[in-house]
Structures are given as C-alpha cells and as structure tokens.
Amino acid sequence: RSFHVAIVGATGAVGETMLAILAERDFPVGTLSLLASERSAGGEVEYNGNKVRIQDLATFDPSGVDIALFSAGGSVSKEYAPKFAAAGAVVIDNSSAFRYDDDVPLVVSEVNPDQVANRPRGIIANPNCSTMQMLVALAPLHRKYGIERINVSTYQSVSGGGRSALEELGKQTGQLLSFQEIDPQRFPVQIAFNLIPHIDDFLDNGFTKEEMKLVWETRKILGDDSILVNPTAVRVPVFYGHSESVAIETRDKVTVAEARALLEQSPGIEVVDRHEAGGYPTPVTHASGTDAVYVGRIREDLSHPRGLNLWIVSDNVRKGAALNAVQLAELVAAEKR
Ligand code: A2P
C-alpha cells in the first residue's frame, strides 16, 4: 500500500532533505502534503518530477494523513503534532518538544528500532543530531563492553541552526573577505573564521541545553540511566556535517582492533581510520551529502586502562535529522503493510 505523507516545515533545511530522501529511498508515497508557514504557502517544489504546492499549516486539515514528519521548530510541534495525531497520523517529530516525555519513544533506527511501536500518543521523537551520530557508533560498543562514562566535545556545523544559520555563515564569510563590517544576527557572536562554545540556551547548571541533550537522550535511547556523560558543544564554521571527539570508559577492556572489528560490522557505520594524510573522516571529505556515520582516529586512552578515543563525523541534516526520520517512517510503514 501507499501512504499519505505530510512534511511540516517542508521549505526548511531539514524539511527539503526529508523530501529528497523520501524520493531517494522510494518511500511508498501516495499523497504528499507539503506544509510551511503562510510566508511560503503557494510556492511549488518538485517531487519525483511533479510540482507540489506548499500549503499553509495553519489552515490545513490533517484528516487522512498517515505519517507526518515535523521539522518546523518546537512551538509548531507542540501546537500541531497532537492535532495530527488526534486525526490519526503517526507523527515523527524532529524538535525537542516531546523527546523527554515518558510516553514518547526516542528512536535511532540502528539502535532501538523496537521502540517505534511503543507510542501511546501517536508521536515518535527523532533525537538531536549530535546524540544521533554518537549513539550509532557507541551503541554496539555499549552492548558488548558496557560504557560507563562518555566525555564528548562536539564540532557542530551551522546547518543544525536551519536555513538562516547557513545564510549567516555565507554572508559573514563574504563580508569579512571584502573587509566589511559584520552584524551577527543568528549566532551570538561572529561565526565565520571563529567558533562558539554555546549552542541553545544556558541552563542553571552552567551547561547549555544542547549539551544536556547529549546526557538526557543518551540515557533514554540506551535505556540506561547509569551512563555518565560529560559534554561540551561547540558551533564551528562548517556548513554541513557535525564532528565529535569522544572518549569512552568501558566496564570491560576493549582494544583498538576489537573496536574496529565490531564497528565495521555494525549498521550505519563506516570506519575510516588510516594513519596517513586524509585517512580520517572530515565533514567535507566524507560526511556532507552522505548517509553513514564515519568513525576514525580510534585509539586506546593513554591515561585510562579501559578508555577508548573515537572521532565521529556525520551529515547532521541527513542521519542527524531527515534520514533517521525517514527510516522511522519506514519502520511505521512496515507495520502497516
Ligand atoms: P517557512 O519557510 O514558511 O518559514 P529552518 O529550520 O531551515 O529555518 O526551517 C524551518 C521550517 O519551519 C520552514 O519550512 C518554515 O516555513 C517552517 N515554519 C516555521 N514557522 C512555522 C509556522 N509557524 N507554521 C508553519 N511552518 C513554520
């Protein structure tokens, strides 16, 4: 059978990638409803060679929608996701609006796909981009060797902030190269030729919300509240692809050779780890525009007997958001077949 699929936020950086990935993966789309704000309603987008009109979410009737992919921000999700679910749709929500609710599963398709079925509210949450790629790589190690602690620093590209953030990096870069003044709007300070240790809001404990997502979401997805996570999240002047320097401490010792062998046969992962120039993944040379989570620089921690270091890179808009959402839609579609 085919499905009535709606994309809420279809004109955004993630929404347009959701649309592209539905086509790439030949998702059985019967009817397609593309929704955005009044600002872009009436515009047209191509899907599989046909023109599809963008509709205004505020006046759209969700009855008949089977699967709705939401990526229009938390406040839009909070208001509209329950309405779509009440009308019978399964909602796959890319915002953080429902991620920490006990009755909403938080699912990485390679890690805890069984949780998709466990959705009393008809809503499934798509994890934060940084947690997503980290757990594709760490879940196999956790299952086999028991991860007790994770130290992670992220190097996050601007596309995680949506289209306006992509535009700001481009604009500032051009202005600075032509000796013009810049006027930061989308980021708190200059992002071009700089980096910013501040993503999302500051919380009372001095961490940012982006950092605490790595703590909360790791525990929920792995179903293990004992895992310790110590995060630092940094925005860097890269367009697409997040990178992460990750140091884990395991219950059982794991060697580089064992880790590599396990990761090479785990789903969604490509190991790129040669000790030579270019023998490691970067956002531009590997991740951007591709689906895998790339792992390189695998080393045993010099300072800890059961420590392992990894460098994890992936396209945050694809696996970190749109691709995982479509993979969850595939799991939902498989139930209904
Ligand atoms: P629009 O293009 O009409 O503003 P990004 O994350 O790249 O900034 O994209 C955000 C997406 O969410 C866009 O598709 C945007 O549509 C959509 N969006 C933002 N606010 C609303 C809203 N109030 N109602 C519907 N869609 C919204």
Side-chain angles (χ1 to χ4, degrees):
R1 64 168 282 202
S2 65
F3 299 87
H4 181 169
V5 178
I7 299 180
V8 177
T11 53
V14 171
E16 72 175 15
T17 307
M18 286 170 161
L19 187 63
I21 293 177
L22 286 171
E24 273 170 37
R25 295 173 72 94
D26 246 330
F27 190 88
V29 176
T31 306
L32 182 64
S33 296
L34 299 182
L35 307 163
S37 78
E38 183 183 41
R39 293 181 289 276
S40 34
E44 281 181 338
V45 174
E46 275 226 348
Y47 180 75
N48 271 347
N50 300 313
K51 288 207 187 320
V52 184
R53 199 170 284 281
I54 307 283
Q55 303 177 65
D56 182 1
L57 172 65
T59 56
F60 177 76
D61 174 5
S63 14
V65 173
D66 297 304
I67 298 174
L69 306 175
F70 272 67
S71 194
S75 56
V76 170
S77 290
K78 277 204 177 98
E79 181 175 354
Y80 289 95
K83 293 181 181 167
F84 276 62
V90 176
V91 172
I92 296 169
D93 182 39
N94 191 48
S95 81
S96 60
F98 307 105
R99 284 184 193 150
Y100 313 114
D101 294 0
D102 286 336
D103 50 3
V104 173
L106 182 64
V107 188
V108 181
S109 70
E110 292 84 353
V111 177
N112 58 339
D114 299 351
Q115 288 300 313
V116 155
N118 190 10
R119 47 168 196 272
R121 287 160 71 186
I123 301 173
I124 304 165
N126 207 37
N128 175 256
C129 42
S130 298
T131 310
M132 189 91 74
Q133 68 183 63
M134 185 173 83
L135 292 190
V136 169
L138 295 190
L141 292 164
H142 179 57
R143 292 206 182 102
K144 189 147 181 197
Y145 302 99
I147 295 176
E148 294 177 339
R149 179 157 180 253
I150 302 169
N151 269 294
V152 50
S153 292
T154 69
Y155 304 70
Q156 300 185 219
S157 68
V158 296
S159 51
R163 195 179 294 290
S164 57
L166 285 161
E167 284 166 4
E168 180 146 317
L169 174 58
K171 186 170 162 200
Q172 285 185 4
T173 303
Q175 287 171 327
L176 289 163
L177 287 174
S178 48
F179 307 101
Q180 290 168 24
E181 295 282 311
I182 59 141
D183 172 24
Q185 308 262 330
R186 189 55 188 70
F187 294 103
V189 299
Q190 176 183 323
I191 181 65
F193 309 104
N194 196 11
L195 44 79
I196 308 174
H198 168 196
I199 306 179
D200 209 333
D201 300 331
F202 278 96
L203 302 177
D204 289 341
N205 66 359
F207 284 76
T208 60
K209 194 171 171 213
E210 188 76 1
E211 289 163 344
M212 292 311 294
K213 290 171 191 169
L214 282 153
V215 180
W216 299 327
E217 297 184 22
T218 294
R219 290 176 173 168
K220 179 166 176 173
I221 294 163
L222 295 179
D224 184 345
D225 282 340
S226 74
I227 297 181
L228 302 170
V229 184
N230 183 38
T232 300
V234 182
R235 189 72 78 188
V236 298
V238 167
F239 285 101
Y240 293 95
H242 288 359
S243 306
E244 298 174 332
S245 171
V246 178
I248 58 171
E249 294 164 17
T250 51
R251 185 189 60 226
D252 302 325
K253 167 80 180 166
V254 48
T255 66
V256 169
E258 288 164 343
R260 172 196 270 276
L262 177 63
L263 294 174
E264 276 174 347
Q265 48 145 3
S266 298
I269 300 174
E270 269 189 46
V271 175
V272 180
D273 195 12
R274 301 184 313 278
H275 302 167
E276 63 188 37
Y280 34 75
T282 75
V284 168
T285 56
H286 291 76
S288 187
T290 70
D291 287 348
V293 171
Y294 297 88
V295 182
R297 305 299 324 281
I298 306 172
R299 287 152 293 151
E300 284 166 44
D301 186 338
L302 295 173
S303 67
H304 191 284
R306 286 166 287 102
L308 190 77
N309 298 327
L310 309 117
W311 173 247
I312 303 171
V313 187
S314 188
D315 187 324
N316 54 295
V317 173
R318 291 180 71 91
K319 184 57 198 176
L323 172 61
N324 196 72
V326 172
Q327 288 171 312
L328 300 186
E330 289 170 350
L331 292 169
V332 171
E335 289 169 4
K336 299 189 170 188
R337 215 163 269 146

